[in-house]
Amino acid sequence: MYDLGALIRSLRKERKITQKKLGEMLNVTEGTISKYEANTMTPPFETLRSIASIFNVSMDTLCGMKHQGTLSTHGLTEAQAETVKALVDAYRIKNAQTGRQLTQEQFAVLGKITAELTK
């Protein structure tokens, strides 16, 4: 069974943040944090977004959904971000194929990666 309160408490304790400090970060009282952790009060959506940001977890994680992984391209140039996206797509195609050989498109993606890494 999913327990949002236990998850918030666990994330908070892992980072050695008190309920009071988390409350200050979220602009709510320590008592409100206690209610979130005891599951007697559910954080509103905007507060959940803030909690996800503070603890660097996805909203899926906070909502108890199986985490599928997130790939951030923050801090990359547009060309680098496109290269990463192409690589992910190439791996998806490769995984979907029954054979082990790379396609011409996959070789092209690898060429882009090599070019970006050697700049």
Side-chain angles (χ1 to χ4, degrees), residues 12 49 55 80-81 87 91 98 117:
R12 180 180 59 77
R49 284 181 47 187
F55 295 122
Q80 291 168 335
L87 176 63
Y91 272 117
T98 55
L117 291 175

Side-chain angles (χ1 to χ4, degrees), residues 2 7 11 19-20 23 25 31 33-34 39-41 53 61 65 74-75 77 86-87 96 98 103 105-106 117:
Y2 174 68
L7 177 59
L11 292 168
Q19 286 183 336
K20 182 177 181 177
M25 296 166 83
I33 300 300
S34 178
N39 291 311
T40 57
M41 184 176 177
S53 178
T61 298
M65 298 175 72
H74 178 73
T77 66
L87 176 63
T98 55
T103 65
E105 185 177 272
Q106 291 167 326
L117 291 175

Side-chain angles (χ1 to χ4, degrees), residues 5-74:
L7 177 59
I8 293 171
R9 180 173 36 276
S10 172
L11 292 168
R12 180 180 59 77
K13 288 188 174 197
E14 281 175 16
R15 286 155 181 87
K16 297 178 174 57
I17 298 174
T18 64
Q19 286 183 336
K20 182 177 181 177
K21 179 64 178 172
L22 181 58
E24 290 169 2
M25 296 166 83
L26 295 171
N27 219 15
V28 299
T29 67
E30 179 179 354
T32 299
I33 300 300
S34 178
K35 289 177 183 179
Y36 293 163
E37 292 182 359
N39 291 311
T40 57
M41 184 176 177
T42 302
F45 179 76
E46 288 301 319
T47 302
L48 284 173
R49 284 181 47 187
S50 295
I51 291 169
S53 178
I54 289 167
F55 295 122
N56 195 30
V57 296
S58 70
M59 288 291 286
D60 284 353
T61 298
L62 284 183
C63 294
M65 298 175 72
K66 183 178 178 187
H67 183 63
Q68 296 297 316
T70 303
L71 183 62
S72 173
T73 57
H74 178 73

